[in-house]
């Protein structure tokens, strides 16, 4: 009883604070200085039609590198925690329905294509590497559901992840020598504004981010799936 | 009525979700429910951050169609909170995966998901 009333007090106090915040809040009238810079100078400096992409990949590219590293760390910790002995013989095979197998055979290439489209067009449309990578990982979930017997090799995923991570960092370092600084995208020509091959290195970098995120999320799903199989 | 515009409604919804999540973390006993509460708080903060960057009568920060290059600064909303939320969503996925795997390990060890059964960190 005392516990519940203390809880209620805490929640009510926070609600009071939030009410004050909300009543004091008045919406923005215009962009602040940083956002204004991105919206005016950013177009000619970076050349990406999607301003969010120009912030994520170029202006705050270092943060994105850290973010990808965090995802990698998560996948690595999960793989370490669920280090399974590679004897998967005792896992009984689920019987997958014919419908699911046929549907996934039709859908898998389409889903992969959509994912790749999303991260290649990240500088033009509201897409990007992270969204595209998540779509690729969802294709992996479908694959796991439909073909329960086949083992998907970790080595392939690890290879894709390592290659795209190294390429991301190398493109960043290339920016130090050829352009203004780390992860500067003007190492390639900026091209025509709004075209697919524009905005310098952004489509390339975002493709590598997409591949890396897709591989990492797939790795997480695979590890969790394998522990599920072992426990049974 | 200033409270019935988009930014106020979304900030209000974010605050409500935050309170629900906090209530869940404090009052629930099941570890999985606590993890779900963490996810709710995560989502609420994304909602609040995005709506703080909203500017009335403006559109998404993509230069295409009606948004022209010349006066983009007068037509688009703030891209910085959106980029931040993009980062936060991905990190949220990682944190949720880690919390779930710790819960799995705890369950493997003690065969229980009730938080009351774990006394080792209590004092």
């Amino acid at each position: 009883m005392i516990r519940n009333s203390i809880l209620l007090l805490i929640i009510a106090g926070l609600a009071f604070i939030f009410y004050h915040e909300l009543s004091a809040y008045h919406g923005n009238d215009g962009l602040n200085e940083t956002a204004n810079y991105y919206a005016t100078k950013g177009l000619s400096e970076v050349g990406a039609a999607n301003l969010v992409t120009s912030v994520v990949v170029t202006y705050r590219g270092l943060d994105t590198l850290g973010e990808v590293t965090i995802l990698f760390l998560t996948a690595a910790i999960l793989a370490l925690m669920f280090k399974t002995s590679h004897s998967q013989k005792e896992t009984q095979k689920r019987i997958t329905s014919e419908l699911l197998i046929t549907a996934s055979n039709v859908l898998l290439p389409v889903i992969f294509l959509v994912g790749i489209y999303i991260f290649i067009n990240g500088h033009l449309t509201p897409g990007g590497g992270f969204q595209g990578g998540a779509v690729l990982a969802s294709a992996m979930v479908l694959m796991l559901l439909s073909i329960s017997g086949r083992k998907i090799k970790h080595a392939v995923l690890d290879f894709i992840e390592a290659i795209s991570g190294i390429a991301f960092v190398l493109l960043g370092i290339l920016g130090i020598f050829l352009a203004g600084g780390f992860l500067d995208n003007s190492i390639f020509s900026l091209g025509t504004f709004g075209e697919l091959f524009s905005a310098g290195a952004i489509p390339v970098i975002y493709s590598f981010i997409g591949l890396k995120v897709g591989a990492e999320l797939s790795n997480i799903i695979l590890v969790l799936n394998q522990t599920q199989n072992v426990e049974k | 009525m200033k409270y019935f515009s988009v930014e106020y409604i979304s900030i209000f919804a974010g605050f409500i979700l935050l309170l629900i999540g906090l209530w869940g973390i404090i009052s629930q006993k099941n570890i999985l429910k606590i993890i779900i509460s963490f996810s709710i708080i995560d989502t609420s903060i994304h909602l609040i951050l995005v709506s703080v960057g909203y500017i009335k009568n403006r559109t998404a920060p993509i230069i295409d169609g009606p948004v022209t290059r010349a006066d983009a600064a007068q037509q688009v909303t703030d891209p910085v909170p959106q980029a931040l939320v993009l980062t936060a969503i991905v990190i949220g996925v990682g944190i949720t995966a880690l919390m779930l795997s710790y819960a799995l390990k705890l369950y493997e060890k003690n065969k229980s998901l009730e938080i009351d059964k774990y006394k080792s960190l209590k004092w």
Side-chain angles (χ1 to χ4, degrees):
Chain A
M1 193 59 213
I2 295 172
R3 204 175 158 277
N4 273 342
S5 41
I6 291 173
L7 174 60
L8 203 68
L9 266 181
I10 292 173
I11 299 289
L14 261 177
F16 184 68
I17 294 171
F18 286 159
Y19 172 72
H20 265 260
E21 291 284 326
L22 192 63
S23 57
Y25 177 76
H26 48 86
N28 300 310
D29 302 322
L31 298 175
N32 57 23
E33 202 177 335
T34 320
N36 203 27
Y37 180 86
Y38 292 156
T40 49
K41 297 270 175 51
L43 295 175
S44 48
E45 267 181 13
V46 179
N50 187 349
L51 287 175
V52 179
T53 300
S54 70
V55 174
V56 167
V57 181
T58 302
Y59 288 116
R60 303 265 104 231
L62 198 62
D63 294 354
T64 307
L65 187 58
E67 186 185 354
V68 174
T69 314
I70 287 177
L71 257 190
F72 167 72
L73 257 181
T74 311
I77 291 172
L78 277 178
L80 188 72
M81 274 172 68
F82 298 110
K83 207 161 46 173
T84 48
S85 54
H86 289 283
S87 59
Q88 286 191 324
K89 283 164 201 157
E90 71 269 23
T91 60
Q92 72 266 38
K93 277 181 188 159
R94 253 181 311 112
I95 297 161
T96 319
S97 79
E98 186 65 38
L99 209 60
L100 187 57
I101 294 172
T102 314
S104 74
N105 281 342
V106 175
L107 281 178
L108 273 178
V110 182
I111 296 177
F112 271 114
L113 205 64
V114 169
I116 291 168
Y117 173 83
I118 287 175
F119 64 65
I120 285 181
N121 282 289
H123 58 302
L124 303 175
T125 58
F130 296 101
Q131 296 92 320
V135 172
L136 289 189
S138 75
M140 186 63 85
V141 175
L142 188 60
M143 217 193 273
L144 279 176
L145 282 176
S146 62
I147 27 182
S148 61
R150 194 200 291 178
K151 271 189 258 174
I152 296 162
K153 281 197 177 122
H154 269 289
V156 179
L157 287 176
D158 290 344
F159 181 73
I160 293 174
E161 193 187 335
I163 289 295
S164 44
I166 291 169
F168 184 17
V169 175
L170 278 185
L171 278 171
I173 292 173
L174 216 59
I176 298 178
F177 296 114
L178 298 181
F182 188 64
L183 281 171
D184 194 332
N185 73 326
S186 53
I187 49 176
F188 306 137
S189 80
L190 287 184
T192 328
F193 185 83
E195 299 271 307
L196 179 59
F197 293 104
S198 65
I202 283 185
V204 186
I205 291 176
Y206 236 1
S207 304
F208 283 126
I209 292 175
L211 284 176
K212 192 164 164 59
V213 169
E216 278 159 352
L217 290 180
S218 311
N219 247 335
I220 291 175
I221 292 162
L222 267 182
V223 167
L224 288 176
N225 182 58
Q226 279 172 1
T227 56
Q228 189 193 19
N229 284 346
V230 165
E231 259 189 297
K232 267 175 192 168
Chain B
M1 288 302 283
K2 78 167 190 176
Y3 288 112
F4 284 99
S5 54
V6 179
E7 66 262 45
Y8 282 100
I9 292 173
S10 53
I11 289 182
F12 184 70
F15 281 154
I16 296 284
L17 281 178
L18 217 166
L19 288 178
I20 292 174
L22 200 71
W23 171 79
I25 286 177
I26 301 175
S27 71
Q28 293 301 308
K29 303 278 187 213
N30 191 315
I31 291 178
L32 289 182
K33 286 180 183 169
I34 295 174
I35 293 172
I36 291 172
S37 308
F38 266 105
S39 290
I40 293 174
I41 289 191
D42 209 32
T43 313
S44 74
I45 290 169
H46 299 162
L47 199 54
I48 294 170
L49 263 181
V50 166
S51 38
V52 162
Y54 177 77
I55 302 170
K56 223 174 169 43
N57 298 328
R58 293 199 184 189
T59 182
I62 296 170
I63 314 299
D64 192 22
V67 182
T68 53
R69 247 185 109 167
D71 51 345
Q74 274 75 48
Q75 287 178 311
V76 297
T77 55
D78 198 344
V80 182
Q82 302 192 11
L84 282 177
V85 169
L86 190 60
T87 311
I89 289 172
V90 176
I91 291 172
V93 169
I95 290 171
T96 311
L98 271 186
M99 283 194 292
L100 283 174
S101 59
Y102 285 138
L104 194 61
K105 276 283 162 191
L106 281 177
Y107 183 76
E108 267 179 16
K109 201 154 180 260
N110 295 349
K111 295 289 167 214
S112 169
L113 277 176
E114 295 297 306
I115 197 105
D116 287 345
K117 297 266 166 55
Y118 296 97
K119 308 260 189 209
S120 52
L121 279 178
K122 270 194 173 174
W123 45 274

